[in-house]
Amino acid sequence: MILFVCFFLFLCLAGLIVGIILLVVRKNKLPGAIMTSASMFLGIIFSGVLVSGLIFGGVASDVSVDRSMMHDNLMDGSTYDDTGGEDEPYDEYDNYDEGDYDYFSDDYTQYKVGQVAEFEDNVWVNVTKIEKWPGDKELNSPMAGYYVKATVTIENKGVRSVTYYADDFLIYDKDGLEGDNAYKEDWRAIVKPATKVTKTVYFDVYGDGPFHIALYDVSWSGAAK
C-alpha cells in the first residue's frame, strides 16, 4: 500500500515539474496551469493517504507487539490481568462464611418453656411445648435429622385486635445458630380482644437442643421432647 502511494507521489512530482516547464519555459499557460494544479491536488491527497497509512500502521504494529508479548507471558505460565486493576467480581459463595449466620443474642428477655410473657397492647404469649417432629413427604429431609415443632398460645387481654404470623417466631439451637421456618403451617392469626388462640410453628434446625424460641425481644428455652 505504501509503495503504491509513493509511486503515485512520484508521478505527481513529475507532473508538477512538467507543468512548471510548460507554464514558465514554454509559455503554454493553460496546459501548464492545468498540469501543475492537478499534480499539486493529487500530491496533497496521496500525501495525506501516506501519512494516515504510516500512523495506523504504527498503531497496528504496537497492538500486535502487545498481543504477542501477552501470548508469550501466558505460554510461560504467568497470568494476565484484564480487569484494569479492578477487584475480581463478587462471588457470594466464595465470600460466605460462618460470620454471615445469625446467632442467639443475650439481649432477649429469657423465659423457660411454659412461662407466659407479656407484650405490648396487653397481649400474653407462651411457648407451651417443644417437640421433635420427623417431617412428612411435603418437606425436604431435615438438616438435623428431625424438625422442631413448637406449640404457642397467644391471648389478647387488650381492647383491640392484634396480628401475629408464623414467621414472627425464630429458633436457635444449643450453639446459638439460627434455624429456618419450615412453613409446614404458614399461618396468620388475628387475635381479637378477650380471645386466645393456639398455633404450631415448625422449624428446620442445624444442631441439637436445648433450643431457644424467640418472638421479638423475648425468648423461651427448653429441650425438644
Side-chain angles (χ1 to χ4, degrees), residues 70-189:
M70 180 186 70
H71 178 268
D72 292 341
N73 289 335
L74 292 175
M75 293 299 292
D76 291 337
S78 60
T79 58
Y80 174 65
D81 180 13
D82 61 352
T83 62
E86 298 180 357
D87 294 337
E88 293 182 357
Y90 176 79
D91 189 330
E92 61 178 346
Y93 298 103
D94 292 341
N95 293 277
Y96 195 79
D97 54 32
E98 292 184 357
D100 295 311
Y101 290 101
D102 290 325
Y103 286 86
F104 181 74
S105 171
D106 292 333
D107 294 336
Y108 287 108
T109 301
Q110 300 183 34
Y111 292 85
K112 295 294 185 182
V113 171
Q115 293 181 322
V116 182
E118 182 181 3
F119 289 81
E120 62 180 14
D121 296 327
N122 204 12
V123 176
W124 298 78
V125 181
N126 186 9
V127 176
T128 61
K129 186 166 47 176
I130 300 178
E131 306 171 85
K132 292 182 179 180
W133 181 65
D136 58 26
K137 62 182 181 180
E138 296 180 2
L139 301 175
N140 296 324
S141 299
M143 294 181 290
Y146 58 87
Y147 291 96
V148 173
K149 174 183 175 182
T151 302
V152 302
T153 61
I154 306 170
E155 184 175 6
N156 186 359
K157 297 181 180 181
V159 296
R160 61 179 183 179
S161 298
V162 294
T163 303
Y164 285 83
Y165 297 86
D167 55 9
D168 287 336
F169 293 86
L170 306 175
I171 192 170
Y172 301 90
D173 61 25
K174 66 178 181 180
D175 296 320
L177 187 61
E178 183 181 346
D180 299 325
N181 195 312
Y183 294 105
K184 168 66 175 174
E185 296 179 7
D186 188 15
W187 49 263
R188 171 176 177 262

Side-chain angles (χ1 to χ4, degrees), residues 31-47:
I34 292 174
M35 183 167 290
T36 301
S37 300
S39 298
M40 292 179 61
F41 177 74
L42 293 176
I44 292 173
I45 292 177
F46 283 110
S47 297

Side-chain angles (χ1 to χ4, degrees), residues 3-50:
L3 293 177
F4 176 78
V5 174
C6 291
F7 174 73
F8 273 92
L9 282 176
F10 174 75
L11 293 180
C12 291
L13 179 61
L16 179 62
I17 294 173
V18 172
I20 293 174
I21 293 174
L22 291 175
L23 185 63
V24 177
V25 178
R26 297 302 183 102
K27 305 299 182 178
N28 294 328
K29 294 184 178 182
L30 182 59
I34 292 174
M35 183 167 290
T36 301
S37 300
S39 298
M40 292 179 61
F41 177 74
L42 293 176
I44 292 173
I45 292 177
F46 283 110
S47 297
V49 173
L50 177 62

Side-chain angles (χ1 to χ4, degrees), residues 207-223:
D208 292 323
F211 298 99
H212 297 276
I213 307 295
L215 174 66
Y216 305 141
D217 59 348
V218 174
S219 72
W220 294 263
S221 61

